[in-house]
Amino acid sequence: MKKKNYLTKGNNMLTKRIKSFLYPYLYRRQDINLQKQDAIIKKHDEMFQSLEKLKIYIDYQKDEINKKTEHLCSVNSQLIINQMTVQNAQLTNEVAILKNTLNALSRKVRNRSEVIHCLFLVHNVSAWDSLSPVYEAMLKDNAFQPVVASINKKFPGDISFSGEEIVDKKLSQLDIKHIRLKSENSYEDLEIIKTINPDVIFRQSQWDADIPPAFSSEELNFAQLAYVPYEIMNFLGNVDPNIENSQFHKNCSMLFVANKYAYDSLKSNTSINDDHIYMTGHPKVEKLLASESEWPIDWPDERRNYRVIWGAHHSIEHNWSNFGTFMTVYPQMLDWAKKNSQVDIVFSPHPALLTTLLSEKYDSVRQGIEDFFKQWDELPNTSLFTNDTYGPLFQASDALIVDGISWLLEYQILDKPVIFIERDDHLPFLPSGDIIAEGVYRVAGFNDAVKYIEDLMTTSEDSLKQQRKNTLSELAHIKNASVNILKVIKENLR
């Protein structure tokens, strides 16, 4: 029986990847004094010695596995497979230990120039406004050199990583210079990142599963990791513990939060070192306020209809936060749009809702959903808004109908009415969520939501204006978030 050598190629690739990781620091030493150079070279030599030991271990395991493979036909194959599984797990652990050691060394001995190099990995265009003010502030500050990179993503319902071309297109429209990291093997893109040699890396999501494996927390922590949540703050209780205590959170050197409620939540409910949490305000607040009005529906006679945004969350099932109402609301919304041509309605689904609906569990209602989107596209007073930043849409609109989650707070920043279609089984609010809910009109179903819209159109009476001001005063009072974040980065890298 011909034996296959499964490990040699991987061994060579491992050596190549680790060497490519270390070489930038070996050859970018001109600004470090000689004493530090000697210490760094000594430490690198120790790392390469560890690497050589690891190579010997891999070769040994390879020989053992090949020997045992010869006897698979004559002995209990399951026993040998179990032994091989244990040995491979040990090998994986050895590799992980070395990688973590190398990454820790990298963060300590990186060559610091006068300029701080920051990399922004962008996979979700809709969430770019959480980071764009930070990027724009860096462009104006000579202490920083920011680089933006478009990458693929995989949301619930997606079967593979994709979507980089959508991010690339939008960033180009915004005239944001960027690199494209879209290799089929994401580890090839990781080598590019290591060549860029960033001091700080911002990622849009705490969920490793959302993005290709080479951009995971474990792979990126050779640099300082920083995180600005894509939502202004989490205000739900009993949600997935990883929403604030993920592996990415734990690897971050700098976690930026909007207010004391968010700070206390991270500090008390996670294992994260509170020295890594900074209360800076949230950049999205300043971006939403600064956005210029833009509405996607135009009328030939230039009339201005009452403008409604309809937002729909992706949690349409009963296994997570349970806010989504799309499956019960969409037929009624379509019928309302058909009968009320004096109202413009822009449907803006959560990006993950569209991928969730592609799941086979919705095959039984597939035709009805497809008919909805077709008819929605054909109506003159409706539009579908996806894969874009939504500040301009917020500015141009008059009211929001939404089932959750982050828009319950974000739309209040524009001081406009929010009608919240509320499921009775959604996760409970934290105290901050209760404050947010006081500033929105809470309804149990579609008919009550429409009644609020009709009253607002007729009387313009908005009884919650003052409450929204109170909400923002409590939760969005910290100004100049992007400037605050840059200050923290400078102090951390000093």
Side-chain angles (χ1 to χ4, degrees):
M1 180 174 65
K2 184 177 180 181
K3 301 191 291 285
K4 293 185 178 180
N5 189 337
Y6 290 100
L7 294 179
T8 301
K9 182 178 179 181
N11 181 19
N12 293 336
M13 286 298 294
L14 177 66
T15 304
K16 179 182 177 182
R17 284 175 53 202
I18 293 181
K19 283 185 176 180
S20 68
F21 170 58
L22 289 174
Y23 281 165
Y25 311 115
L26 284 172
Y27 292 106
R28 291 179 61 187
R29 300 174 298 164
Q30 62 273 21
D31 295 329
I32 307 177
N33 64 47
L34 293 176
Q35 184 178 0
K36 288 185 177 179
Q37 285 184 8
D38 292 339
I40 292 169
I41 293 173
K42 180 180 178 181
K43 199 65 178 177
H44 283 163
D45 289 343
E46 292 174 0
M47 291 300 101
F48 277 122
Q49 289 173 12
S50 297
L51 176 60
E52 290 304 317
K53 292 179 181 179
L54 179 61
K55 288 167 60 181
I56 294 171
Y57 182 74
I58 292 174
D59 289 338
Y60 170 78
Q61 292 297 326
K62 174 191 67 177
D63 291 340
E64 288 296 304
I65 291 173
N66 285 337
K67 287 178 184 177
K68 290 175 181 178
T69 302
E70 295 177 345
H71 302 285
L72 283 176
C73 297
S74 59
V75 298
N76 187 330
S77 61
Q78 188 59 49
L79 175 62
I80 291 184
I81 290 173
N82 290 341
Q83 291 175 342
M84 291 166 62
T85 300
V86 171
Q87 290 173 344
N88 281 332
Q90 292 172 340
L91 175 60
T92 300
N93 185 55
E94 292 284 343
V95 173
I97 291 172
L98 180 60
K99 182 186 296 180
N100 288 335
T101 303
L102 290 169
N103 286 345
L105 172 65
S106 169
R107 291 194 297 272
K108 290 181 179 179
V109 304
R110 294 173 58 79
N111 174 25
R112 300 296 182 196
S113 65
E114 292 183 359
V115 176
I116 301 171
H117 296 79
C118 293
L119 176 66
F120 296 83
L121 297 178
V122 183
H123 71 277
N124 181 2
V125 169
S126 299
W128 172 238
D129 278 350
S130 290
L131 287 174
S132 61
V134 180
Y135 168 73
E136 291 164 5
M138 287 182 180
L139 289 176
K140 300 173 183 177
D141 191 326
N142 291 332
F144 290 90
Q145 183 174 319
V147 175
V148 175
S150 54
I151 64 174
N152 285 312
K153 55 82 180 172
K154 184 168 70 174
F155 285 158
D158 281 335
I159 59 175
S160 61
F161 291 101
S162 62
E164 182 279 334
E165 69 283 352
I166 295 174
V167 179
D168 166 63
K169 181 179 179 180
K170 180 58 183 178
L171 292 176
S172 298
Q173 290 174 350
L174 294 172
D175 198 26
I176 296 174
K177 295 180 180 179
H178 61 284
I179 61 174
R180 304 183 66 181
L181 302 179
K182 56 174 182 174
S183 300
E184 184 174 343
N185 178 1
S186 60
Y187 286 94
E188 296 177 4
D189 293 328
L190 182 60
E191 299 305 320
I192 295 174
I193 292 177
K194 290 173 180 176
T195 301
I196 295 171
N197 198 17
D199 298 297
V200 180
I201 297 177
F202 282 89
R203 216 177 69 177
Q204 286 188 295
S205 173
Q206 72 269 48
W207 312 108
D208 279 349
D210 281 357
I211 53 181
F215 309 133
S216 69
S217 312
E218 179 184 351
E219 298 291 352
L220 294 179
N221 70 359
F222 59 86
Q224 302 283 344
L225 298 182
Y227 183 53
V228 175
Y230 52 85
E231 79 283 7
I232 291 179
M233 62 181 297
N234 170 53
F235 47 87
L236 300 180
N238 302 326
V239 74
D240 184 339
N242 288 323
I243 199 168
E244 290 188 323
N245 197 30
S246 69
Q247 194 60 40
F248 185 69
H249 282 98
K250 295 172 184 176
N251 278 289
C252 277
S253 302
M254 293 167 280
L255 293 161
F256 301 106
V257 298
N259 51 48
K260 191 177 185 302
Y261 290 93
Y263 180 91
D264 289 344
S265 180
L266 269 179
K267 185 176 177 180
S268 61
N269 298 324
T270 70
S271 59
I272 298 168
N273 188 331
D274 58 5
D275 289 342
H276 296 171
I277 308 171
Y278 299 90
M279 191 165 58
T280 58
H282 200 289
K284 186 181 284 187
V285 175
E286 56 193 275
K287 189 63 177 180
L288 290 176
L289 291 171
S291 296
E292 295 185 3
S293 175
E294 185 176 342
W295 191 248
I297 300 173
D298 292 319
W299 291 95
D301 58 5
E302 298 184 352
R303 75 175 185 266
R304 191 199 186 284
N305 280 350
Y306 194 82
R307 297 172 173 180
V308 176
I309 303 173
W310 165 34
H313 197 250
H314 66 86
S315 57
I316 55 178
E317 299 171 2
H318 299 271
N319 56 3
W320 197 51
S321 58
N322 305 343
F323 276 81
T325 61
F326 173 80
M327 295 305 297
T328 57
V329 166
Y330 81 83
Q332 297 170 296
M333 191 67 75
L334 179 63
D335 184 62
W336 183 53
K338 288 178 178 179
K339 296 177 179 178
N340 292 272
S341 59
Q342 77 280 13
V343 179
D344 288 353
I345 311 170
V346 174
F347 177 37
S348 182
H350 188 289
L353 173 61
L354 299 180
T355 55
T356 298
L357 291 172
L358 296 176
S359 170
E360 62 182 14
K361 67 179 64 177
Y362 296 103
D363 284 348
S364 61
V365 293
R366 177 82 54 228
Q367 189 60 52
I369 294 173
E370 291 178 354
D371 287 346
F372 160 77
F373 280 105
K374 181 176 182 296
Q375 293 183 57
W376 191 264
D377 183 59
E378 292 172 347
L379 289 173
N381 62 323
T382 58
S383 179
L384 178 65
F385 184 88
T386 60
N387 296 316
D388 209 340
T389 54
Y390 46 81
L393 187 72
F394 276 19
Q395 287 282 8
S397 63
D398 297 310
L400 170 69
I401 298 176
V402 70
D403 52 24
I405 302 177
S406 59
W407 282 12
L408 292 174
L409 173 59
E410 291 176 14
Y411 197 76
Q412 293 189 56
I413 292 169
L414 278 297
D415 193 23
K416 298 178 181 182
V418 182
I419 296 91
F420 173 30
I421 300 180
E422 185 172 11
R423 279 172 53 171
D424 57 11
D425 64 335
H426 72 70
L427 287 183
F429 288 130
L430 296 171
S432 55
D434 290 331
I435 294 172
I436 292 168
E438 289 176 1
V440 304
Y441 297 97
R442 304 169 76 165
V443 300
F446 174 80
N447 291 332
D448 289 336
V450 170
K451 185 178 185 305
Y452 270 113
I453 292 294
E454 291 174 346
D455 289 344
L456 289 166
M457 291 173 61
T458 303
T459 67
S460 299
E461 292 184 5
D462 182 2
S463 61
L464 293 179
K465 285 183 71 68
Q466 184 56 50
Q467 182 55 51
R468 289 197 298 271
K469 288 182 172 61
N470 297 341
T471 296
L472 299 178
S473 176
E474 185 74 11
L475 302 178
H477 60 284
I478 302 177
K479 309 300 181 185
N480 303 315
S482 57
V483 173
N484 298 337
I485 289 171
L486 265 59
K487 182 179 179 181
V488 170
I489 294 174
K490 291 177 182 177
E491 291 175 350
N492 269 270
L493 271 64
R494 187 168 293 162

